[in-house]
Amino acid sequence: MQYSTHLLPHWRFTIGQNIHRYRAQQKMPLKKLARLSGVSEHLIDHYELGKNEIGLDELLKIACALEVEVRELLI
């Protein structure tokens, strides 16, 4: 099965918005999320802005640090 690549930027943006939304709801500074997840502040910032694609490892680490299901970051 092939997937259309024109949707990738949209997904990057959606995931980034969701990371930011959950972080803001918890009043969690970027620095704390980086410390809890083991993902650098720079990368998290780029994920939130939709500038970088997020890998599965980083997605799992961030979801765990935010204490949310991975699917919550995807939809």
Side-chain angles (χ1 to χ4, degrees):
M1 177 185 292
Q2 281 194 321
Y3 296 96
S4 175
T5 57
H6 77 280
L7 294 175
L8 289 177
H10 171 74
W11 282 108
R12 266 198 314 244
F13 186 70
T14 300
I15 292 168
Q17 279 186 321
N18 290 335
I19 292 170
H20 181 77
R21 180 169 46 90
Y22 281 104
R23 188 171 66 78
Q25 284 175 356
Q26 297 178 29
K27 296 180 173 61
M28 183 183 295
L30 188 59
K31 185 176 227 162
K32 183 175 180 180
L33 179 56
R35 183 175 46 81
L36 292 173
S37 67
V39 178
S40 75
E41 288 180 57
H42 178 78
L43 269 179
I44 295 171
D45 183 53
H46 278 207
Y47 295 149
E48 287 186 354
L49 295 172
K51 291 182 177 181
N52 285 48
E53 289 181 24
I54 188 167
L56 183 57
D57 284 344
E58 287 81 14
L59 185 64
L60 290 169
K61 289 175 184 179
I62 290 171
C64 286
L66 291 171
E67 299 180 351
V68 298
E69 297 287 330
V70 171
R71 70 174 171 247
E72 299 301 319
L73 299 179
L74 299 175
I75 57 174

